[in-house]
mmCIF file with all atom_site columns, all heavy atoms in Angstrom:
data_model
loop_
_atom_site.group_PDB
_atom_site.id
_atom_site.type_symbol
_atom_site.label_atom_id
_atom_site.label_alt_id
_atom_site.label_comp_id
_atom_site.label_asym_id
_atom_site.label_entity_id
_atom_site.label_seq_id
_atom_site.pdbx_PDB_ins_code
_atom_site.Cartn_x
_atom_site.Cartn_y
_atom_site.Cartn_z
_atom_site.occupancy
_atom_site.B_iso_or_equiv
_atom_site.pdbx_formal_charge
_atom_site.auth_seq_id
_atom_site.auth_comp_id
_atom_site.auth_asym_id
_atom_site.auth_atom_id
_atom_site.pdbx_PDB_model_num
ATOM 1  N N   . PRO A 1 72 ? 115.251 92.890 91.789 1.00 63.00 ? 72 PRO A N   1
ATOM 2  C CA  . PRO A 1 72 ? 116.592 93.324 91.696 1.00 63.00 ? 72 PRO A CA  1
ATOM 3  C C   . PRO A 1 72 ? 117.372 92.820 90.616 1.00 63.00 ? 72 PRO A C   1
ATOM 4  O O   . PRO A 1 72 ? 117.107 91.654 90.090 1.00 63.00 ? 72 PRO A O   1
ATOM 5  C CB  . PRO A 1 72 ? 117.076 92.852 93.054 1.00 63.00 ? 72 PRO A CB  1
ATOM 6  C CG  . PRO A 1 72 ? 115.910 92.528 93.901 1.00 63.00 ? 72 PRO A CG  1
ATOM 7  C CD  . PRO A 1 72 ? 114.835 92.223 92.980 1.00 63.00 ? 72 PRO A CD  1
ATOM 8  N N   . ASP A 1 73 ? 118.533 93.413 90.156 1.00 67.00 ? 73 ASP A N   1
ATOM 9  C CA  . ASP A 1 73 ? 119.184 92.962 89.027 1.00 67.00 ? 73 ASP A CA  1
ATOM 10 C C   . ASP A 1 73 ? 119.821 91.588 89.171 1.00 67.00 ? 73 ASP A C   1
ATOM 11 O O   . ASP A 1 73 ? 119.852 90.804 88.247 1.00 67.00 ? 73 ASP A O   1
ATOM 12 C CB  . ASP A 1 73 ? 120.396 93.994 88.698 1.00 67.00 ? 73 ASP A CB  1
ATOM 13 C CG  . ASP A 1 73 ? 119.864 95.190 88.107 1.00 67.00 ? 73 ASP A CG  1
ATOM 14 O OD1 . ASP A 1 73 ? 118.722 95.151 87.475 1.00 67.00 ? 73 ASP A OD1 1
ATOM 15 O OD2 . ASP A 1 73 ? 120.501 96.259 88.072 1.00 67.00 ? 73 ASP A OD2 1
ATOM 16 N N   . SER A 1 74 ? 120.284 91.339 90.397 1.00 68.00 ? 74 SER A N   1
ATOM 17 C CA  . SER A 1 74 ? 120.905 90.033 90.556 1.00 68.00 ? 74 SER A CA  1
ATOM 18 C C   . SER A 1 74 ? 119.898 88.829 90.395 1.00 68.00 ? 74 SER A C   1
ATOM 19 O O   . SER A 1 74 ? 120.153 87.855 89.762 1.00 68.00 ? 74 SER A O   1
ATOM 20 C CB  . SER A 1 74 ? 121.379 89.865 92.017 1.00 68.00 ? 74 SER A CB  1
ATOM 21 O OG  . SER A 1 74 ? 120.321 90.162 92.885 1.00 68.00 ? 74 SER A OG  1
ATOM 22 N N   . ILE A 1 75 ? 118.649 89.064 90.751 1.00 69.00 ? 75 ILE A N   1
ATOM 23 C CA  . ILE A 1 75 ? 117.546 88.051 90.514 1.00 69.00 ? 75 ILE A CA  1
ATOM 24 C C   . ILE A 1 75 ? 117.228 88.002 89.027 1.00 69.00 ? 75 ILE A C   1
ATOM 25 O O   . ILE A 1 75 ? 117.009 86.944 88.503 1.00 69.00 ? 75 ILE A O   1
ATOM 26 C CB  . ILE A 1 75 ? 116.378 88.499 91.337 1.00 69.00 ? 75 ILE A CB  1
ATOM 27 C CG1 . ILE A 1 75 ? 116.582 88.625 92.776 1.00 69.00 ? 75 ILE A CG1 1
ATOM 28 C CG2 . ILE A 1 75 ? 115.282 87.416 91.188 1.00 69.00 ? 75 ILE A CG2 1
ATOM 29 C CD1 . ILE A 1 75 ? 117.096 87.245 93.484 1.00 69.00 ? 75 ILE A CD1 1
ATOM 30 N N   . LYS A 1 76 ? 117.330 89.240 88.388 1.00 68.00 ? 76 LYS A N   1
ATOM 31 C CA  . LYS A 1 76 ? 117.000 89.244 86.877 1.00 68.00 ? 76 LYS A CA  1
ATOM 32 C C   . LYS A 1 76 ? 117.967 88.252 86.189 1.00 68.00 ? 76 LYS A C   1
ATOM 33 O O   . LYS A 1 76 ? 117.587 87.469 85.374 1.00 68.00 ? 76 LYS A O   1
ATOM 34 C CB  . LYS A 1 76 ? 117.024 90.658 86.397 1.00 68.00 ? 76 LYS A CB  1
ATOM 35 C CG  . LYS A 1 76 ? 115.746 91.319 86.426 1.00 68.00 ? 76 LYS A CG  1
ATOM 36 C CD  . LYS A 1 76 ? 115.834 92.704 85.758 1.00 68.00 ? 76 LYS A CD  1
ATOM 37 C CE  . LYS A 1 76 ? 114.877 93.646 86.166 1.00 68.00 ? 76 LYS A CE  1
ATOM 38 N NZ  . LYS A 1 76 ? 115.074 95.047 85.863 1.00 68.00 ? 76 LYS A NZ  1
ATOM 39 N N   . ARG A 1 77 ? 119.163 88.388 86.616 1.00 70.00 ? 77 ARG A N   1
ATOM 40 C CA  . ARG A 1 77 ? 120.238 87.508 86.037 1.00 70.00 ? 77 ARG A CA  1
ATOM 41 C C   . ARG A 1 77 ? 120.087 86.057 86.254 1.00 70.00 ? 77 ARG A C   1
ATOM 42 O O   . ARG A 1 77 ? 120.012 85.201 85.464 1.00 70.00 ? 77 ARG A O   1
ATOM 43 C CB  . ARG A 1 77 ? 121.643 88.015 86.615 1.00 70.00 ? 77 ARG A CB  1
ATOM 44 C CG  . ARG A 1 77 ? 122.588 88.528 85.513 1.00 70.00 ? 77 ARG A CG  1
ATOM 45 C CD  . ARG A 1 77 ? 123.814 89.119 86.183 1.00 70.00 ? 77 ARG A CD  1
ATOM 46 N NE  . ARG A 1 77 ? 123.546 90.471 86.668 1.00 70.00 ? 77 ARG A NE  1
ATOM 47 C CZ  . ARG A 1 77 ? 124.061 90.860 87.829 1.00 70.00 ? 77 ARG A CZ  1
ATOM 48 N NH1 . ARG A 1 77 ? 124.588 89.980 88.691 1.00 70.00 ? 77 ARG A NH1 1
ATOM 49 N NH2 . ARG A 1 77 ? 123.754 92.089 88.217 1.00 70.00 ? 77 ARG A NH2 1
ATOM 50 N N   . LEU A 1 78 ? 119.559 85.806 87.563 1.00 69.00 ? 78 LEU A N   1
ATOM 51 C CA  . LEU A 1 78 ? 119.157 84.469 87.937 1.00 69.00 ? 78 LEU A CA  1
ATOM 52 C C   . LEU A 1 78 ? 118.142 83.952 87.001 1.00 69.00 ? 78 LEU A C   1
ATOM 53 O O   . LEU A 1 78 ? 118.040 82.729 86.627 1.00 69.00 ? 78 LEU A O   1
ATOM 54 C CB  . LEU A 1 78 ? 118.818 84.451 89.379 1.00 69.00 ? 78 LEU A CB  1
ATOM 55 C CG  . LEU A 1 78 ? 118.530 83.127 90.055 1.00 69.00 ? 78 LEU A CG  1
ATOM 56 C CD1 . LEU A 1 78 ? 119.918 82.374 90.361 1.00 69.00 ? 78 LEU A CD1 1
ATOM 57 C CD2 . LEU A 1 78 ? 117.654 83.172 91.291 1.00 69.00 ? 78 LEU A CD2 1
ATOM 58 N N   . LEU A 1 79 ? 117.167 84.774 86.690 1.00 69.00 ? 79 LEU A N   1
ATOM 59 C CA  . LEU A 1 79 ? 115.995 84.355 85.919 1.00 69.00 ? 79 LEU A CA  1
ATOM 60 C C   . LEU A 1 79 ? 116.418 83.986 84.502 1.00 69.00 ? 79 LEU A C   1
ATOM 61 O O   . LEU A 1 79 ? 115.712 83.216 83.836 1.00 69.00 ? 79 LEU A O   1
ATOM 62 C CB  . LEU A 1 79 ? 114.937 85.568 85.803 1.00 69.00 ? 79 LEU A CB  1
ATOM 63 C CG  . LEU A 1 79 ? 114.129 85.693 87.090 1.00 69.00 ? 79 LEU A CG  1
ATOM 64 C CD1 . LEU A 1 79 ? 113.259 86.915 86.979 1.00 69.00 ? 79 LEU A CD1 1
ATOM 65 C CD2 . LEU A 1 79 ? 113.207 84.392 87.313 1.00 69.00 ? 79 LEU A CD2 1
ATOM 66 N N   . GLU A 1 80 ? 117.453 84.525 84.006 1.00 70.00 ? 80 GLU A N   1
ATOM 67 C CA  . GLU A 1 80 ? 117.954 84.205 82.737 1.00 70.00 ? 80 GLU A CA  1
ATOM 68 C C   . GLU A 1 80 ? 118.589 82.773 82.616 1.00 70.00 ? 80 GLU A C   1
ATOM 69 O O   . GLU A 1 80 ? 118.782 82.318 81.480 1.00 70.00 ? 80 GLU A O   1
ATOM 70 C CB  . GLU A 1 80 ? 118.931 85.241 82.175 1.00 70.00 ? 80 GLU A CB  1
ATOM 71 C CG  . GLU A 1 80 ? 118.146 86.489 81.671 1.00 70.00 ? 80 GLU A CG  1
ATOM 72 C CD  . GLU A 1 80 ? 119.103 87.744 81.651 1.00 70.00 ? 80 GLU A CD  1
ATOM 73 O OE1 . GLU A 1 80 ? 120.297 87.561 81.712 1.00 70.00 ? 80 GLU A OE1 1
ATOM 74 O OE2 . GLU A 1 80 ? 118.595 88.917 81.791 1.00 70.00 ? 80 GLU A OE2 1
ATOM 75 N N   . ASN A 1 81 ? 118.789 82.242 83.723 1.00 70.00 ? 81 ASN A N   1
ATOM 76 C CA  . ASN A 1 81 ? 119.379 80.921 83.796 1.00 70.00 ? 81 ASN A CA  1
ATOM 77 C C   . ASN A 1 81 ? 118.432 79.948 83.084 1.00 70.00 ? 81 ASN A C   1
ATOM 78 O O   . ASN A 1 81 ? 117.243 79.812 83.475 1.00 70.00 ? 81 ASN A O   1
ATOM 79 C CB  . ASN A 1 81 ? 119.520 80.513 85.270 1.00 70.00 ? 81 ASN A CB  1
ATOM 80 C CG  . ASN A 1 81 ? 120.230 79.246 85.442 1.00 70.00 ? 81 ASN A CG  1
ATOM 81 O OD1 . ASN A 1 81 ? 120.360 78.425 84.480 1.00 70.00 ? 81 ASN A OD1 1
ATOM 82 N ND2 . ASN A 1 81 ? 120.855 78.901 86.606 1.00 70.00 ? 81 ASN A ND2 1
ATOM 83 N N   . LYS A 1 82 ? 118.980 79.134 82.129 1.00 69.00 ? 82 LYS A N   1
ATOM 84 C CA  . LYS A 1 82 ? 118.002 78.323 81.371 1.00 69.00 ? 82 LYS A CA  1
ATOM 85 C C   . LYS A 1 82 ? 117.629 77.076 82.151 1.00 69.00 ? 82 LYS A C   1
ATOM 86 O O   . LYS A 1 82 ? 116.755 76.184 81.683 1.00 69.00 ? 82 LYS A O   1
ATOM 87 C CB  . LYS A 1 82 ? 118.746 77.939 79.978 1.00 69.00 ? 82 LYS A CB  1
ATOM 88 C CG  . LYS A 1 82 ? 118.848 79.157 79.147 1.00 69.00 ? 82 LYS A CG  1
ATOM 89 C CD  . LYS A 1 82 ? 118.964 78.760 77.694 1.00 69.00 ? 82 LYS A CD  1
ATOM 90 C CE  . LYS A 1 82 ? 118.876 80.053 76.803 1.00 69.00 ? 82 LYS A CE  1
ATOM 91 N NZ  . LYS A 1 82 ? 120.297 80.433 76.454 1.00 69.00 ? 82 LYS A NZ  1
ATOM 92 N N   . ALA A 1 83 ? 118.333 76.777 83.128 1.00 69.00 ? 83 ALA A N   1
ATOM 93 C CA  . ALA A 1 83 ? 118.089 75.539 83.898 1.00 69.00 ? 83 ALA A CA  1
ATOM 94 C C   . ALA A 1 83 ? 116.745 75.567 84.713 1.00 69.00 ? 83 ALA A C   1
ATOM 95 O O   . ALA A 1 83 ? 116.256 74.562 85.023 1.00 69.00 ? 83 ALA A O   1
ATOM 96 C CB  . ALA A 1 83 ? 119.231 75.247 84.878 1.00 69.00 ? 83 ALA A CB  1
#
Side-chain angles (χ1 to χ4, degrees):
Chain A
D73 283 341
S74 55
I75 304 296
K76 271 187 200 161
R77 244 171 280 133
L78 185 79
L79 282 172
E80 281 159 19
N81 188 343
K82 294 206 172 95

